[in-house]
Amino acid sequence: TAGKRWTDEEERLLREHYATAERGWLMEQLPERGWDSIVAKAVLLGAERSHSIGYWTGKKTDAVPSIRLSVHDWRFMQANDIPADIVLESRAYWKEYVSLPIEANTIMLSD
């Protein structure tokens, strides 16, 4: 809720698809939103969802490893060889991580 404002189009997409769409598909449609953000917004919009809906029914291999990461975050991390476990274990939020001086990020990655 502290990130960028939701657009009318994003809200419409959630109202129309949150109840039935796979998590992976929704995240691809909202690439700058983490799953926890998507769920929080859906709750505010009154949208409900069955827990039986999967991540992907297909063989998608680049699934985002954390509800805290967006598709854009995950792709950036993969493209720059940034291990998700280090970022997630340190509980550094993405904005905090990328705003640190290069030296601090290097120390984090080497620990």
Side-chain angles (χ1 to χ4, degrees), residues 12-22 25-26 49 53:
R12 181 194 60 74
L13 186 126
L14 275 184
R15 282 190 193 95
E16 291 179 10
H17 299 285
Y18 183 74
T20 58
E22 293 175 334
W25 183 85
L26 281 169
R49 177 181 182 80
I53 300 171

Side-chain angles (χ1 to χ4, degrees), residues 53-109:
I53 300 171
Y55 191 95
W56 294 104
T57 56
K59 293 188 176 186
K60 192 74 172 170
T61 58
D62 61 347
V64 177
S66 169
I67 62 171
R68 291 175 44 209
L69 298 174
S70 69
V71 168
H72 279 175
D73 290 343
W74 179 233
R75 288 181 180 153
F76 177 84
M77 291 170 70
Q78 288 178 313
N80 292 282
D81 295 322
I82 300 171
D85 55 338
I86 291 173
V87 174
L88 297 171
E89 285 173 14
S90 69
R91 295 187 164 266
Y93 285 94
W94 189 244
K95 288 180 186 173
E96 295 168 355
Y97 183 79
V98 297
S99 66
L100 291 172
I102 290 291
E103 301 79 32
N105 287 328
T106 305
I107 292 167
M108 250 191 221
L109 289 172

Side-chain angles (χ1 to χ4, degrees), residues 4-6 10 27 30-35 37-38 69-70:
K4 130 183 162 180
R5 288 183 54 94
W6 285 74
E10 289 174 319
M27 290 185 75
L30 302 165
E32 295 181 359
R33 308 286 183 187
W35 184 246
S37 176
I38 291 170
L69 298 174
S70 69

